[in-house]
Amino acid sequence: MYSLGERRLIAHLDMDAFYASVELLRYPDLRGLPVVIGGGRRHQPETLPDGSRRYFRLRDYTGRGVLTTSTYEARALGVFSAMGTMKAAQLAPGAILLPVDFDEYRRYSRMFKAAVREIAPHIEDRGIDEIYIDLSDVPGALDDGGRAVGRWLKDAVREATGLSCSIGITPNKLLSKLASELDKPDGLTLLGFEDIPARIWPLAARKVNGIGPKASEKLAALGLRTVGDIAAAQPDFLVRHFGANYGRWLHDTAHGRDQREVVTHSEPVSISRETTFERDLHAVRDRATLSGIFTELCVELAGDLARKGYASKTIGIKLRFDDFKSVTRDLTLPAHTMDARTIRRAAGECLKRVDLSRRLRLLGVRAGALARLTDLVAPIAAPEPPPPRAEEAAPLYELPLFAQH
DNA sequence: TCTGGGGTCCTAGGACCC
DNA sequence: TCTGGGGTCCTAGGACCC
């Protein structure tokens, strides 16, 4: 794509309050009001006989969910994503609560990405509502630092979806990710290396992708609160406190250095299903309930594998106890599988290795060491038998263990 | 009023092989 | 004869991200 030393132009595009904004397209009467998305259970708006709608209020919620998004009006009340819904209800009891509708968000996600791809095809997916775009090869982009392309992208996204986004355009992914946040919502921020001291160094360390709650707390304890503080620290000081890899990365990052490429394709590493119970369950007293949920998770996981065309060689479980501590166990099988019963059996073996005296709040099942079905089935037999006709083939769900080779 | 669900990557110890 | 070193796989936990 580019050779070292050549100029790169990378965009980070982030949809503004994505889930909430999609919901406002459906419920335009909520525009301007504090609205939050999340919860979990049924709190679908109710349409009254006169055509008006009755919405669920945050104060009416009971349960263990968290918020996934909030509108800017709700954020002004101190209510943010990842906050427990019950806690949010304390802060903004009158805010409107809408249930999540991932299918709809995925539909809009495909729409905005398709619109971007028309202009700049070199895209890295970073989840449902953000992407990196390599603009280096977009004709004319380098002439004005990407400003014209940036405006064009924003217009295209709005035209395709009716939604606004914020874009940062800089020489690398690290700076673009930070830049896209500087003028949210509906922002377009261009930065060069020369802007780092004025625009990047004043930012809290926590703003950097890769500096989470633990690292920022540790940095603060060392007196380093902003990106500029980290930039001013001696590299060996950082290495001493954070290890060779992370220490060096912190130093490079604080100086705006990042050589990562925009990755247009990647294969999944694992696929999983997990659920948090409405109340904590005990392995003995709630055995039947737990067992049913456990099997259901395995069946769903097998379905996900089949639908996506993968088989797994390592099956794992995850438990979260009532004290919020979690443990994982996994088991590598002799061959890849996508069979629900095989997954259930392996997960059951894993479960035997866990002390179950505490009550559980979460149970999960994970399929790792994935292989594409097409890479697995083909080499099974030599000489190659004629492939079975699709309608004669057993449902994938019923296939036993796959032999590799 | 405790904190969802789906992921990735890194570290580290032990097993096992050469 | 009491002790090397590298490579890879497996497992567990944890930080972090959307």
Side-chain angles (χ1 to χ4, degrees):
Chain A
M1 195 71 227
Y2 76 104
S3 53
L4 242 81
E6 223 170 275
R7 255 186 91 199
R8 285 201 299 166
L9 203 56
I10 309 294
H12 179 257
L13 185 157
D14 197 47
M15 299 299 289
D16 298 325
F18 185 54
Y19 300 175
S21 304
V22 171
E23 295 295 346
L24 291 183
L25 294 176
R26 255 200 289 219
Y27 307 121
D29 46 318
L30 294 181
R31 223 163 264 284
L33 298 177
V35 176
V36 301
I37 315 297
R41 300 280 107 72
R42 292 273 67 87
H43 39 267
Q44 211 65 240
E46 187 187 344
T47 304
L48 303 176
D50 66 356
S52 67
R53 273 186 289 262
R54 262 198 55 194
Y55 296 101
F56 213 90
R57 299 278 170 168
L58 211 33
R59 75 166 73 86
D60 301 321
Y61 177 85
T62 51
R64 298 182 130 171
V66 299
L67 302 186
T68 57
T69 341
S70 49
T71 59
Y72 292 93
E73 289 81 0
R75 293 178 200 190
L77 300 173
V79 159
F80 299 95
S81 54
M83 180 180 277
T85 309
M86 294 298 270
K87 180 176 178 179
Q90 300 290 113
L91 295 165
I96 307 288
L97 173 63
L98 295 173
V100 287
D101 181 354
F102 280 108
D103 289 339
E104 186 73 347
Y105 311 149
R106 271 191 288 267
R107 203 166 69 79
Y108 275 89
S109 182
R110 284 192 294 272
M111 284 160 60
F112 93 76
K113 287 168 190 173
V116 169
R117 219 169 256 121
E118 295 275 311
I119 296 167
H122 201 110
I123 289 177
E124 175 175 338
D125 238 295
R126 294 305 305 188
I128 199 161
D129 69 340
E130 58 181 83
I131 50 176
Y132 289 103
I133 316 159
D134 194 328
L135 301 177
S136 310
D137 292 341
V138 173
L142 287 164
D143 302 342
D144 64 348
R147 188 170 299 279
V149 189
R151 291 212 184 97
W152 188 12
L153 287 167
K154 282 166 63 76
D155 289 346
V157 167
R158 189 184 294 277
E159 191 162 330
T161 63
L163 300 171
S164 73
C165 62
S166 296
I167 300 183
I169 303 180
T170 82
N172 63 44
K173 286 161 78 168
L174 163 71
L175 294 172
S176 296
K177 170 82 177 167
L178 290 167
S180 68
E181 267 218 54
L182 288 178
D183 196 22
K184 240 180 182 313
D186 204 14
L188 173 60
T189 307
L190 277 60
L191 254 45
F193 288 119
E194 65 282 4
D195 298 312
I196 290 173
R199 307 295 303 277
I200 301 298
W201 284 352
L203 298 176
R206 184 69 178 81
K207 293 279 180 193
V208 174
N209 214 253
I211 301 180
K214 299 286 178 184
S216 58
E217 199 171 320
K218 189 169 168 186
L219 284 163
L222 295 167
L224 309 179
R225 285 179 181 79
T226 65
V227 179
D229 292 340
I230 302 173
Q234 291 302 313
D236 41 320
F237 173 85
L238 295 171
V239 166
R240 211 163 42 246
H241 285 97
F242 294 92
N245 280 347
Y246 196 66
R248 265 196 289 273
W249 177 84
L250 279 173
H251 181 255
D252 286 342
T253 294
H255 287 276
R257 292 193 276 265
D258 175 19
Q259 295 286 352
R260 288 172 305 161
E261 300 244 20
V262 170
V263 178
T264 52
H265 181 79
S266 63
E267 283 290 311
V269 173
S270 68
I271 296 174
S272 67
R273 284 277 184 154
E274 65 181 55
T275 187
T276 296
F277 315 130
E278 284 174 71
R279 60 175 183 91
D280 296 342
L281 299 177
H282 192 273
V284 177
R285 288 192 292 281
D286 302 301
R287 190 194 160 93
T289 311
L290 271 171
S291 180
I293 293 170
F294 197 26
T295 301
E296 195 183 325
L297 288 169
C298 293
V299 169
E300 287 169 351
L301 184 58
D304 292 343
L305 287 167
R307 202 158 30 78
K308 297 177 180 177
Y310 290 92
S312 162
K313 204 164 182 290
T314 302
I315 300 300
I317 61 166
K318 169 172 151 186
L319 306 179
R320 179 124 71 207
F321 297 102
D322 53 6
D323 61 358
F324 216 72
K325 291 206 168 70
S326 359
V327 298
T328 61
R329 293 291 181 270
D330 57 49
L331 178 64
T332 297
L333 302 170
H336 287 82
T337 187
M338 57 189 309
D339 172 60
R341 281 156 303 185
T342 307
I343 293 170
R344 178 64 174 80
R345 213 174 305 125
E349 288 303 312
C350 292
L351 195 59
K352 287 184 190 164
R353 311 206 300 261
V354 184
D355 174 12
L356 294 174
S357 39
R358 292 202 77 102
R359 294 207 294 183
L360 295 166
R361 67 174 285 137
L362 172 148
L363 182 57
V365 185
R366 190 182 100 106
L370 300 180
R372 281 217 80 100
L373 235 41
T374 46
D375 298 338
L376 220 47
V377 176
I380 275 185
E384 200 152 334
R389 300 164 58 87
E391 56 272 26
E392 290 167 3
L396 294 176
Y397 173 75
E398 288 177 20
L399 287 176
L401 290 180
F402 280 84
Q404 200 172 12
H405 307 295

